[in-house]
Amino acid sequence: MRELTFREAISEALVQAMRGDQRIFIMGVGVDDPKGAFGTTSDALKQFGGSRVFDVPISENAMTGIAIGSAMDGLHPVLVHARNDFLLLTMDQLVNNAAKWSYMTAGKISVPMTVRAVIGRGWGQAAQHSQSLQALFAHVPGLKVVLPGGPFEAKGLLMSSLKEKAPVIFLEHRWLYEKKDGVPQEPYSLPLGKGRILRQGKDITIVAMSYMAWECRQVSVNLARQGIEAELIDPMTVSPLDVDIIVSSVRKTGRLLVVDTSFVFAGMSAEIVASVSERAGPALKSPVQRLGLPFAPTPCSAVLERVYYPDTGTIEQAVLRMLQNGSLEHFNVVSGKGYQAENPSSEWNGPF
């Protein structure tokens, strides 16, 4: 199968979906500039022109209202934000309007819109430009929240999102844009609310979201070299959340580690752990563990970033300790700090 980068997969999904559905259009700050929103909207602009791919003023709340109105009128807007932090300026429109219209009209009015936004760290993005706010949006009934963990997932989930009648928050991790994976050329969809087993295993279940799913692929390979078979699950959407696939895995392995790109406190990892405790608590052989961000805003300093963010080394050590009651005595930790620099790889060139 041919390989595409994450951004190419998103671009292809947009073009193929727009070709098949005249209702879809793209709006957002910079979607028609030379960078094309990380290169994801340039092909759509070339093929469909400025009437379907156009720039908007920096007025997030008003633009979201326009998107909601157009969706209620039968179109499907794709509203693009270069940061999910900017969505905080649109919360009234998203929470009180987009999410609720279908409920308040007994399903007579729907709001089919897709809001794309970038999450995660960059170089020195700091506290106001690198948050991962999936738990905040997942808390709102009526919003669907998607977190693709790789190029294959990105194309399939975006094509599904563009067929949805409900508003979808589609969160793309900045460090995934240059990651490559096999992506079918033909259009395909991955259902929202269904997770994916990335690697079968019997010793421990690792549930990892967005970029952390990509990191955990490497961790699971390192663990396998030591004879440890981790079952790796990417839920792909956190609202709706595929609890069944996680519970089924934990009943098999007896252990659960959840790795999120956001805060541990009151985050998606808390919801997953609570759900597993309710449905598969007796199957657990050891206490569950969660990895994510400390309950503090993101630092700007590269030195502090290395401490703040979990990485492959952190994840691998957590797994090994869970398997040996907190000790690393008989294991060789393959991953480690320094696996990542401030940039995930030389492929990543910013500036955003």
Side-chain angles (χ1 to χ4, degrees):
M1 184 187 301
R2 66 173 186 160
E3 290 194 337
L4 290 184
T5 63
F6 188 81
R7 63 177 174 79
E8 289 170 337
I10 289 173
S11 175
E12 187 167 88
L14 288 171
V15 169
Q16 291 181 349
M18 292 175 74
R19 191 177 295 144
D21 189 344
Q22 297 296 315
R23 299 175 307 148
I24 300 172
F25 68 92
I26 301 172
M27 58 188 288
V29 175
V31 297
D32 63 349
D33 74 12
K35 288 287 185 182
F38 296 91
T40 60
T41 57
S42 303
D43 287 344
L45 176 64
K46 290 175 187 172
Q47 296 203 30
F48 305 107
S51 63
R52 293 181 70 188
V53 182
F54 52 86
D55 196 21
V56 298
I58 303 176
S59 182
E60 287 84 357
N61 198 42
M63 293 302 108
T64 304
I66 290 171
I68 293 171
S70 65
M72 294 169 68
D73 202 33
L75 300 177
H76 191 125
V78 180
L79 181 56
V80 182
H81 294 274
R83 308 279 189 281
N84 85 151
D85 312 74
F86 303 156
L87 290 179
L88 298 177
L89 297 164
T90 76
M91 290 301 275
D92 179 54
Q93 292 286 9
L94 289 175
V95 176
N96 284 325
N97 291 312
K100 292 187 171 63
W101 272 111
S102 180
Y103 291 101
M104 294 193 298
T105 62
K108 294 178 180 176
I109 295 178
S110 59
V111 184
M113 62 184 290
T114 301
V115 181
R116 292 180 48 211
V118 178
I119 63 172
R121 60 192 291 195
W123 38 262
Q125 294 292 295
Q128 296 173 318
H129 295 79
S130 62
Q131 299 172 87
S132 295
L133 299 172
Q134 53 266 27
L136 193 63
F137 301 114
H139 189 69
V140 180
L143 296 180
K144 296 192 175 184
V145 184
V146 180
L147 284 167
F152 175 81
E153 293 82 2
K155 180 176 176 181
L157 292 169
L158 184 53
M159 297 209 72
S160 289
S161 301
L162 295 171
K163 297 173 184 172
E164 274 286 333
K165 292 184 177 179
V168 175
I169 308 295
F170 195 90
L171 299 176
E172 305 160 17
H173 198 288
R174 183 183 291 109
W175 277 18
L176 283 171
Y177 280 118
E178 299 304 323
K179 298 300 184 188
K180 282 188 174 181
D181 202 358
V183 178
Q185 191 162 13
E186 63 276 10
Y188 64 95
S189 298
L190 296 175
L192 307 190
K194 292 292 182 184
R196 186 174 179 222
I197 297 177
L198 300 179
R199 187 185 182 97
Q200 298 278 353
K202 59 180 177 53
D203 296 321
I204 186 171
T205 298
I206 302 176
V207 178
M209 290 159 267
S210 185
Y211 181 69
M212 301 317 292
W214 191 272
E215 291 257 295
C216 286
R217 294 186 190 197
Q218 182 59 49
V219 172
S220 63
V221 171
N222 295 342
L223 291 170
R225 292 176 182 145
Q226 302 184 65
I228 299 166
E229 295 299 332
E231 183 144 293
L232 177 57
I233 295 175
D234 180 358
M236 301 197 295
T237 63
V238 293
S239 181
L241 177 65
D242 188 354
V243 177
D244 290 344
I245 194 173
I246 300 170
V247 167
S248 176
S249 177
V250 172
R251 284 178 176 149
K252 179 174 65 174
T253 66
R255 296 180 177 87
L256 172 64
L257 171 66
V258 185
V259 191
D260 195 4
T261 57
S262 189
F263 306 115
V264 171
F265 178 77
M268 288 311 307
S269 62
E271 179 62 32
I272 291 170
V273 166
S275 298
V276 169
S277 298
E278 288 172 345
R279 294 179 51 180
L284 290 169
K285 301 174 185 173
S286 66
V288 298
Q289 289 208 18
R290 296 180 287 158
L291 290 177
L293 306 185
F295 199 47
T298 308
C300 184
S301 157
V303 174
L304 293 177
E305 276 189 334
R306 292 193 187 97
V307 178
Y308 183 81
Y309 288 101
D311 64 7
T312 53
T314 316
I315 300 165
E316 187 175 333
Q317 288 183 41
V319 171
L320 297 179
R321 286 195 172 97
M322 288 178 70
L323 291 170
Q324 194 160 294
N325 299 320
S327 171
L328 296 175
E329 183 177 357
H330 300 297
F331 292 114
N332 174 33
V333 179
V334 179
S335 306
K337 295 284 183 185
Y339 174 78
Q340 300 175 352
E342 300 90 85
N343 295 342
S345 74
S346 58
E347 302 163 340
W348 193 86
N349 55 17
F352 301 111

